[in-house]
Every structure is written in structure tokens, then in C-alpha cells.
């Protein structure tokens, strides 16, 4: 019978930026298990958890990040960098576009952004820009949910809708560290202790992030179990029906769904025509 393990929280704190950090400990691991569990959880925590970020900005009359806006102290590049620092709590099923419209002189902060229900600001005082004259400051923001990191290349920086695309950090986990130490028992048997530190941006508690990562791994590895007794029990007509399922019904992330639609993948039947290598080559699919 496989031994059951349970993480123990040994330390927890938060800072003035709203970031949360917790340390967890897992004991009585056999040699080698600490590295396997620690490294696997770290990768999932940093790349697979969903978060929300500003992905694009549209400013009237501006078509590149090196432009300036009359009456605004910051240039466009500085404004974009400030917008990337805004953190959200909550997830969106579809991209949301909102607008900031303010007449100066006035300071513009994240609290000036109107958000849909279910989405909140973690750092509402995040500075965006200073309007120094009687100028109308108007920008549109596209906010999306996704996983991991979305880095834009120069070719796709300008979208057809005249939005300036941003490098977006969706993951709510800022950093994960782990350390493995040996523990000696009375019978001289060597076991391992795994200490895992999780730091989040404040949109999710570290213990919730750990639980979500563990459930994702449980689902992944559970699907890999081969049950030969069920291999030939699926009626052919059921298989055909499943191949006709639309990708809208798969509960994919917004980013994954948009990438598949872009290459004209509409159903499961279309999807299975692609190899894993070909899927990875789809732009921004990850």
C-alpha cells in the first residue's frame, strides 16, 4: 500500500505589496522523492495556474510604444510598464475591454479602471500616469485570463484593432523554492524532508496554489493509467460523436482557445490531426 503524504505549513507572511509567502514541509520521503515532487510542483506552480493581466492597450493616435502624449508627463513606454504592474484577483472567461477617460490635471492610478463583477484590483494605488495640463487622457485596456507568461514578438506587437500588445504575466505565483535535506531514523534508515516555499502576487494564497497544482498533477497522471479492460468497450458511434465535439465545449483557457481557432481547429476531429510537435509550433499556444 502506498504511503500517504501531507504537507505541513511551517511559516507564512505577507508584505506591503500584497505578496504572500508560505513555507511547507513534507517528511518521511524515500531517497529521490524529494527532487521528483519538488521539481514537478515548482514547474506546475509557475506555468499552469491561471491568472489575469492586461494584454493590450489602445491609445488614440499612438501606434508604437516610443511615442509621447501631449499634456502627459510619462511617455507611452513608461505608461505601459506601469500598467504591467497592475495585479488582479479573479478570472475572466472572455477578454474584457475597459476605458480610462480623465481630464487633467490629475494623477491616474489603477483605481480609475472600471472592472466587471468578479474581478478586483490587488494594488488599486498602482501609479499609471500624471496629466499635467487640461488634457483629456483616454486609453482602452484589454484584460484577459491565461496561464504562464505571454511574450509578444515585434511582428505581433500591433494588433489589427490598433492595440499595443503587452508582454503579460498571467501566473499568480511569483517564485517557488525548494530544499531537500536528509533525515536519519533510529534504524539508520535515511529519509528525505522537502521544504517548499511558495510566493504569490496576492491574488491567491500559497496553500490554495499548492492545492490547485496538486489537483492538476493528480488529473494529469490519473489520465495516463492504462485500463485494458475498458479498451474495447467504447461503441464506434460514440467515438465518432466525440470527434464531432466543438472546442468551445472543452473548457479551454481563453489563450488556448484563440490559438486553436486561429489555425482553423474547430472540433476534436480537427485537433487529433495534429501531432504534439505541431501543436507546440502554433504561435502563442505554449
Amino acid at each position: 500500500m502506498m504511503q500517504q503524504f501531507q504537507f505541513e505549513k511551517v511559516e507564512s507572511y505577507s508584505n506591503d505589496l500584497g505578496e504572500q509567502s508560505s513555507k511547507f514541509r513534507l517528511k518521511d520521503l524515500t531517497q529521490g522523492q524529494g527532487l521528483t515532487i519538488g521539481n514537478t510542483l515548482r514547474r506546475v506552480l509557475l506555468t499552469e495556474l491561471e491568472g489575469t493581466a492586461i494584454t493590450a492597450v489602445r491609445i488614440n493616435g499612438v501606434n508604437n510604444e516610443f511615442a509621447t502624449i501631449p499634456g502627459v508627463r510619462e511617455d507611452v513606454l513608461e505608461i505601459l510598464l506601469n500598467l504591467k504592474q497592475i495585479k488582479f484577483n479573479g478570472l475572466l472567461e472572455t477578454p474584457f475591454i475597459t476605458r480610462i477617460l480623465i481630464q487633467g490635471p490629475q494623477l491616474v492610478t489603477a483605481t480609475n479602471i472600471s472592472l466587471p463583477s468578479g474581478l478586483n484590483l490587488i494594488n488599486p494605488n498602482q501609479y499609471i500616469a500624471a496629466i499635467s495640463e487640461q488634457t483629456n487622457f483616454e486609453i482602452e485596456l484589454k484584460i484577459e485570463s491565461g496561464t504562464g507568461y505571454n511574450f509578444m514578438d515585434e511582428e505581433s506587437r500591433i494588433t489589427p484593432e490598433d492595440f499595443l500588445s503587452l508582454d503579460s504575466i498571467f501566473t499568480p505565483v511569483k517564485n517557488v523554492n525548494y530544499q531537500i535535506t536528509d533525515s536519519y531514523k533510529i534504524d539508520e534508515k535515511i529519509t528525505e524532508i522537502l521544504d517548499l516555499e511558495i510566493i504569490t502576487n496576492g491574488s491567491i494564497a500559497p496553500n490554495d496554489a499548492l492545492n490547485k497544482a496538486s489537483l492538476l498533477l493528480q488529473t494529469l497522471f490519473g489520465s495516463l493509467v492504462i485500463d485494458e479492460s475498458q479498451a474495447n468497450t467504447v461503441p464506434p458511434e460514440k467515438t465518432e460523436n466525440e470527434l464531432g465535439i466543438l472546442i468551445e465545449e472543452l473548457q479551454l483557457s481563453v489563450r488556448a482557445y484563440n490559438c486553436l481557432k486561429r489555425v482553423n481547429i474547430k472540433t476534436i476531429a480537427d485537433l487529433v490531426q495534429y501531432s504534439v510537435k505541431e501543436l507546440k509550433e502554433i504561435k502563442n499556444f505554449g
Side-chain angles (χ1 to χ4, degrees):
M1 183 176 179
M2 184 174 292
Q3 183 178 354
Q4 297 295 313
F5 297 109
Q6 183 67 49
F7 272 106
E8 170 192 1
K9 184 188 289 188
V10 295
E11 186 178 329
S12 184
Y13 60 91
S14 60
N15 61 23
D16 295 337
L17 299 176
E19 298 173 353
Q20 299 182 37
S21 176
S22 293
K23 292 184 179 179
F24 304 89
R25 178 164 294 168
L26 195 59
K27 300 179 180 179
D28 299 328
L29 300 171
T30 60
Q31 287 187 294
Q33 285 184 332
L35 178 61
T36 300
I37 296 173
N39 189 52
T40 304
L41 280 174
R42 183 179 186 275
R43 292 179 66 88
V44 174
L45 283 163
L46 289 174
T47 62
E48 299 297 327
L49 300 191
E50 284 190 295
T52 302
I54 297 173
T55 59
V57 179
R58 178 162 57 190
I59 305 174
N60 187 33
V62 172
N63 58 10
N64 68 81
E65 62 266 39
F66 304 107
T68 59
I69 306 173
V72 179
R73 182 184 304 168
E74 288 75 19
D75 58 29
V76 173
L77 182 59
E78 290 177 294
I79 293 173
L80 297 181
L81 291 174
N82 291 336
L83 289 170
K84 288 170 66 173
Q85 301 302 315
I86 298 175
K87 298 179 289 185
F88 301 93
N89 184 5
L91 298 174
L92 296 170
E93 293 186 1
T94 58
F96 176 77
I97 295 179
T98 186
R99 177 180 299 172
I100 299 177
L101 178 58
I102 294 178
Q103 185 176 33
Q106 187 174 338
L107 293 180
V108 184
T109 64
T111 192
N112 295 115
I113 302 175
S114 298
L115 299 176
S117 60
L119 191 64
N120 302 302
L121 289 164
I122 296 175
N123 54 341
N125 295 323
Q126 169 62 41
Y127 176 80
I128 296 176
I131 309 172
S132 57
E133 300 176 6
Q134 293 288 336
T135 302
N136 288 329
F137 179 77
E138 181 179 359
I139 61 174
E140 289 182 84
L141 308 175
K142 181 184 287 187
I143 306 173
E144 298 181 73
S145 294
T147 59
Y149 304 85
N150 184 27
F151 293 111
M152 305 301 300
D153 55 40
E154 291 304 318
E155 293 182 0
S156 58
R157 183 69 68 181
I158 306 295
T159 70
E161 301 85 7
D162 293 328
F163 274 91
L164 291 173
S165 297
L166 300 182
D167 298 329
S168 306
I169 302 176
F170 293 112
T171 177
V173 178
K174 294 180 66 68
N175 200 7
V176 179
N177 301 306
Y178 67 90
Q179 184 176 7
I180 302 163
T181 54
D182 291 335
S183 175
Y184 296 87
K185 291 194 170 183
I186 297 176
D187 58 2
E188 297 184 356
K189 181 181 179 181
I190 301 176
T191 61
E192 290 182 343
I193 297 175
L194 171 65
D195 288 312
L196 185 71
E197 181 185 31
I198 302 173
I199 303 170
T200 73
N201 64 8
S203 65
I204 187 174
N207 55 300
D208 290 335
L210 179 57
N211 287 337
K212 285 190 175 184
S214 300
L215 288 173
L216 283 171
L217 287 171
Q218 185 181 48
T219 302
L220 171 63
F221 287 107
S223 66
L224 299 179
V225 176
I226 299 174
D227 186 357
E228 295 184 351
S229 64
Q230 303 293 329
N232 299 314
T233 60
V234 180
E237 60 272 14
K238 182 177 179 180
T239 301
E240 293 177 4
N241 291 337
E242 290 175 346
L243 291 175
I245 293 175
L246 299 174
I247 61 172
E248 285 89 345
E249 303 176 41
L250 300 182
Q251 297 182 345
L252 300 172
S253 68
V254 174
R255 176 184 175 187
Y257 169 77
N258 289 336
C259 290
L260 294 179
K261 291 290 286 187
R262 193 180 302 124
V263 294
N264 206 32
I265 295 177
K266 300 178 179 178
T267 65
I268 295 294
D270 299 331
L271 183 61
V272 297
Q273 301 301 316
Y274 285 72
S275 67
V276 174
K277 181 180 179 182
E278 291 171 331
L279 286 173
K280 289 182 178 180
E281 291 175 351
I282 296 176
K283 188 173 182 179
N284 296 329
F285 189 65

